[in-house]
Amino acid sequence: MKPKRERGHLLRALLVSSLVHLVLLLFLVKPLHLKEQPYRTLTVSLLETRIPEPPSPTPQPQSAQLLEKERPKAVEQPKPREIPKPEEPKRPELPRPVQKPIKPEPPKEEQRQLLAKSEPRPTAEEVDLERQRLEAIKEIERRIRERQIEAQSPQEPKGAAFDLYLSQLQERIRSFWVIPEGLLREDVKAIIRVRIDPQGRLLSAELEKSSGDKVFDRSALQAVKKAEPFPPPPGGQTMEVGLVFRP
Amino acid sequence: MCFVLRIALALGIVLWGIRAEVTVYLEIDSPKLRLYRLAFLPVVPGDDLSKRAESLMERCLEISHLFEFMDRSKFPLIREPLSPERIDYKLWREMGAEFVLSTAISHEGGQLQLVLFFYDPVQGIPLISKVYRAQQGFLRQLVYKAVDDILQTLTGREGLFNSRIAFIRAQKEGFRELWLIRPDGGEEIPLVKGTICMSPSWSHDGRKVLYTSLRSRNPDLYVVDIFDGTVKLLSQNPGPNVSASWSPDGRWIALAMRGEKPGDTDLYLMSADGGSLKPLLVSPHVEVSPCWSPDGKRIAFVSDRTGTPQIYIYDLGSGKFSRLTNFGSYNAWPSWSPKGDWIAFSGRWQGQFKLFIIRPDGSDLRMITPYAGDHERPSWAPNGRHLVFSSNLKGKRLLYITTIQSGGPWVVTLSQGEDSQPAWSRLYQ
């Protein structure tokens, strides 16, 4: 009786154990990947698309001709002189209100400040200075953040060489990060986990956390790929780093 | 049993430990804000058709304001389109390309055929591999479709070129005609000729244009179907029937009509067929230029109730309105962006009209055309990033396109007359 029950337990335990292993292994070997769009050739036929006017070089399309035919005679040739000026609400014609005009409100402080920003473009020097100033602020903020991260993960390797390496890595990747201004969203963050071999070659770059914005994710992945080869990690080790991209 | 369980547990912890041995997190910030470097590789040598397609595609890509073209003289000659089997990603990566576009256009069996490959050579992945076909003579449409696909793939947002711009062209004879044009300046088409038209406005399906015309001497409101050219009179109340704007659901038209006093205009809502009319905002002041928010719940408009024309927002739910612009002596022609996140308008700044954008809550005011000339009547492109406006930037009043990042400006029209009052349609499906 007893050995039989034990054997039952043993089987169940083995089953549970192998399941746990399977899950853990899957977790390990299946990192998050950006799904690449598989190559396929599509045929798009524009023949069925409703395209209204045949592209004739003469600017006399069917629609306009139709219109000419439909127009009643009386309106066919209105002479400009006889026609009263269009009562289009344009600037000088805006009539003043009869009652005493209320003094226009002074600009709100916020809008005035914003307006000041929109004044004619600053000189290149001013832009440079402003940029340097902003970068200095960002640098300080970045260091504070790094310290906080450092404090949170005490088990990570330490040392001046390691710190120097990280700052080199950071600078290198940053210098390759490009995004057109019109496509940059301010409120996003993407994390890419990279593994760098002792020679500085990129072993893998996986999107650990997507920003939810395709453009942003792609720009971050491109920055990592463009930054290869990296400086060799200190101590001849393979290095694994999580890169937090945030505009 | 316990032994096995313990081993399993221990192994799990070890594996978890390996997994959790995370690493340092490094912050990367301040991306370079510049255009993507594009290697554009039309097949050489190109015949006339190829050259036309190439220059059209280049113009559209330039207006899209996402790419700078790399110097082609350093590239190897491409005699066949670079299919995914043939492209050498490393070569293009090393040349500094961030995207590669390879195209070839030909006549195939009485049809035009455009083969297009678009790659990300940095990551080494194909993004688009397509063949586009169209009838002879539809080269532009073919290129518009292809460029819009590139923009859609790259940005995840709507394209730009399968749309039209309606505008008013002043002719020498004194007529002010309603015309249509494509955003790249192609396919100029007169729609309503031989009269005086003003303030065009699109239906949301891009099929009809509302406009005011003096064909019966009074500024009446008409609607024209751009596909069959039929015109219908919608409103002929004595006095102005102007600055009409279609609601997003297509059921209502907001417009300005004569108020109680001479010269005064009030806002009205009219059913889309012109059948019924109800007052929206009646006051002793001038109220004009109503413009719907994309959700149809609010209307931006211009009023001179404080002595100068300023922009206000009317909430249809509560019937209340509030002032949006609090600077300058003249702010007019509001246009609500397709996503609802911006309102563009013209404001007088140091004696000239410039384009501004502002959030609907009144924050984040920005001037986007900080250069010489009067810039008037902005109208949003379907992608919410580009705007068309009229300007005397180079003397004559013409249409220009810019972006909210002050890209361009790119001139759209190059006519003998003067062009103004542009209105950008939504995309055609």
Side-chain angles (χ1 to χ4, degrees):
Chain A
M1 276 296 279
K2 208 179 180 186
K4 221 180 185 180
R5 198 192 299 158
E6 264 186 19
R7 214 176 300 150
H9 281 301
L10 188 65
L11 273 173
R12 205 180 305 158
L14 273 171
L15 199 67
V16 170
S17 151
S18 34
L19 266 175
V20 167
H21 276 84
L22 198 65
V23 169
L24 284 168
L25 274 171
L26 275 179
F27 200 39
L28 266 179
V29 299
K30 180 85 181 145
L32 287 161
H33 273 293
L34 246 198
K35 281 207 169 169
E36 291 177 0
Q37 200 178 328
Y39 152 57
R40 64 208 167 101
T41 300
L42 289 178
T43 302
V44 177
S45 172
L46 288 180
L47 285 174
E48 291 157 22
T49 317
R50 237 175 348 135
I51 299 168
E53 297 84 8
S56 78
T58 49
Q60 282 288 348
Q62 213 177 356
S63 54
Q65 286 162 355
L66 276 173
L67 194 63
E68 294 283 45
K69 280 177 208 161
E70 284 170 8
R71 190 172 298 121
K73 268 184 186 172
V75 213
E76 239 168 359
Q77 293 294 333
K79 283 175 191 166
R81 267 184 212 161
E82 290 169 10
I83 292 162
K85 242 195 151 185
E87 284 187 46
E88 189 190 1
K90 282 204 87 179
R91 39 193 147 123
E93 289 106 34
L94 266 183
R96 297 254 160 219
V98 177
Q99 63 266 57
K100 62 172 183 183
I102 302 156
K103 211 175 143 193
E105 285 173 32
K108 271 187 197 164
E109 187 52 33
E110 195 189 354
Q111 289 191 358
R112 200 187 294 157
Q113 281 170 7
L114 286 161
L115 260 186
K117 273 190 213 161
S118 342
E119 274 177 9
R121 285 172 178 168
T123 64
E125 259 177 49
E126 281 168 351
V127 170
D128 282 350
L129 276 173
E130 179 65 11
R131 194 179 161 80
Q132 276 171 14
R133 200 176 62 81
L134 286 174
E135 277 180 2
I137 294 170
K138 276 203 170 173
E139 179 70 17
I140 292 164
E141 285 174 354
R142 182 175 60 80
R143 287 198 180 152
I144 293 168
R145 272 203 298 268
E146 267 172 40
R147 295 246 170 90
Q148 285 167 348
I149 289 167
E150 241 172 63
Q152 283 160 10
S153 46
Q155 77 272 35
E156 75 193 33
K158 289 270 192 270
F162 184 77
D163 286 350
L164 179 68
Y165 181 75
L166 286 185
S167 72
Q168 282 174 342
L169 202 62
Q170 191 179 38
E171 206 39 60
R172 184 161 175 83
I173 295 165
R174 188 209 309 242
S175 70
F176 284 99
W177 190 18
V178 167
I179 193 162
E181 194 180 353
L183 300 185
L184 181 66
R185 277 176 51 185
E186 298 289 338
D187 51 346
V188 286
K189 182 176 95 171
I191 303 178
I192 296 174
R193 180 186 293 264
V194 297
R195 288 178 64 233
I196 299 166
D197 80 359
Q199 282 74 46
R201 284 177 303 216
L202 185 65
L203 292 176
S204 65
E206 292 148 10
L207 195 65
E208 183 177 302
K209 185 185 171 297
S210 166
S211 63
D213 183 47
K214 223 166 87 175
V215 181
F216 192 84
D217 287 352
R218 187 191 291 119
S219 77
L221 282 162
Q222 277 203 340
V224 173
K225 294 272 169 78
K226 280 193 277 186
E228 193 190 7
F230 300 96
Q237 287 179 336
T238 292
M239 166 84 80
E240 185 164 340
V241 186
L243 303 170
V244 184
F245 286 82
R246 217 192 310 240
Chain B
M1 171 202 90
C2 282
F3 176 70
V4 177
L5 260 181
R6 261 182 228 159
I7 289 188
L9 199 65
L11 247 172
I13 289 169
V14 170
L15 288 174
W16 178 251
I18 293 169
R19 169 79 196 170
E21 188 207 309
V22 183
T23 48
V24 186
Y25 280 92
L26 203 55
E27 288 272 339
I28 312 287
D29 54 22
S30 315
K32 278 194 192 120
L33 299 178
R34 66 156 169 81
L35 303 180
Y36 288 130
R37 287 200 192 104
L38 175 72
F40 177 34
L41 312 166
V43 168
V44 287
D47 54 11
D48 270 2
L49 177 70
S50 305
K51 280 178 187 150
R52 270 197 295 143
E54 183 187 323
S55 78
L56 190 55
M57 198 171 265
E58 254 178 9
R59 164 120 173 116
C60 291
L61 289 169
E62 192 197 331
I63 294 173
S64 76
H65 201 227
L66 292 178
F67 305 104
E68 65 169 278
F69 294 98
M70 295 175 69
D71 180 6
R72 224 181 282 172
S73 64
K74 291 172 192 144
F75 294 165
L77 288 183
I78 308 293
R79 295 186 188 282
E80 273 180 71
L82 282 183
S83 62
E85 298 80 35
R86 295 179 59 241
I87 186 168
D88 179 356
Y89 289 121
K90 191 162 169 274
L91 171 79
W92 298 104
R93 195 161 50 225
E94 283 171 358
M95 287 211 181
E98 279 146 352
F99 292 94
V100 172
L101 174 62
S102 172
T103 60
I105 189 146
S106 57
H107 293 284
E108 294 287 331
Q111 285 190 342
L112 288 174
Q113 178 175 294
L114 174 68
V115 178
L116 184 146
F117 298 107
F118 186 54
Y119 300 100
D120 173 349
V122 178
Q123 296 191 77
I125 48 176
L127 298 171
I128 304 177
S129 304
K130 281 191 184 180
V131 179
Y132 300 85
R133 292 198 183 90
Q135 284 168 308
Q136 300 281 4
F138 286 84
L139 177 67
R140 276 184 183 277
Q141 287 79 356
L142 208 58
V143 171
Y144 295 151
K145 177 81 182 118
V147 174
D148 277 352
D149 268 358
I150 293 171
L151 301 183
Q152 171 86 39
T153 304
L154 200 62
T155 65
R157 300 174 203 175
E158 280 186 321
L160 190 63
F161 292 98
N162 195 15
S163 60
R164 285 191 173 84
I165 295 165
F167 65 98
I168 302 299
R169 170 159 289 173
Q171 301 285 28
K172 277 180 194 158
E173 309 86 42
F175 298 136
R176 302 182 80 198
E177 301 170 344
L178 176 58
W179 284 61
L180 298 179
I181 198 165
R182 294 287 196 169
D184 68 311
E187 275 187 37
E188 269 188 332
I189 295 166
L191 199 60
V192 179
K193 292 182 79 180
T195 180
I196 290 191
C197 301
M198 65 187 97
S199 52
S201 166
W202 287 93
S203 63
H204 282 253
D205 61 1
R207 190 177 174 92
K208 291 173 182 169
V209 179
L210 287 172
Y211 66 100
T212 298
S213 163
L214 294 177
R215 66 190 266 184
S216 306
R217 306 296 154 94
N218 188 60
D220 297 332
L221 184 68
Y222 295 84
V223 60
V224 56
D225 185 309
I226 70 158
F227 292 100
D228 61 22
T230 52
V231 173
K232 192 182 157 198
L233 175 66
L234 279 185
S235 170
Q236 52 177 347
N237 287 304
N241 299 264
V242 293
S243 61
S245 164
W246 233 303
S247 67
D249 64 6
R251 292 173 58 209
W252 295 98
I253 292 165
L255 78 163
M257 297 200 308
R258 175 181 284 175
E260 291 158 5
K261 290 181 305 171
D264 162 28
T265 53
D266 294 324
L267 300 185
Y268 288 84
L269 280 186
M270 191 173 69
S271 58
D273 59 1
S276 67
L277 191 70
K278 58 180 183 184
L280 184 68
L281 187 57
V282 176
S283 80
H285 312 285
V286 172
E287 264 95 30
V288 284
S289 305
C291 162
W292 297 78
S293 63
D295 62 6
K297 290 181 179 164
R298 289 181 288 173
I299 289 177
F301 65 96
V302 176
S303 169
D304 72 344
R305 58 186 53 237
T306 56
T308 60
Q310 298 289 347
I311 295 165
Y312 293 76
I313 294 181
Y314 183 91
D315 187 299
L316 289 160
S318 67
K320 290 181 180 161
F321 60 88
S322 56
R323 184 166 164 178
L324 179 70
T325 52
N326 281 295
F327 76 96
S329 58
Y330 203 115
N331 294 302
W333 304 300
S335 174
W336 214 309
S337 74
K339 279 189 226 138
D341 52 351
W342 291 106
I343 291 172
F345 62 95
S346 280
R348 193 150 58 200
W349 177 247
Q350 296 176 344
Q352 286 187 317
F353 280 90
K354 305 296 174 199
L355 296 198
F356 293 86
I357 51 172
I358 192 169
R359 300 286 182 189
D361 66 1
S363 65
D364 217 357
L365 175 69
R366 298 181 201 176
M367 186 197 290
I368 57 170
T369 56
Y371 34 80
D374 277 309
H375 314 139
E376 295 173 357
R377 295 195 180 240
S379 173
W380 290 92
N383 66 2
R385 198 161 62 84
H386 287 71
L387 290 141
V388 64
F389 62 101
S390 74
S391 170
N392 56 4
L393 179 60
K394 289 177 183 158
K396 254 188 347 176
R397 188 162 296 280
L398 295 171
L399 304 190
Y400 292 85
I401 287 176
T402 185
T403 65
I404 56 175
Q405 290 80 33
S406 305
W410 300 278
V411 66
V412 183
T413 51
L414 285 167
S415 71
Q416 297 300 310
E418 300 228 338
D419 299 330
S420 62
Q421 305 181 34
W424 205 320
S425 77
R426 300 283 76 98
L427 280 188
Y428 293 95
Q429 297 307 320

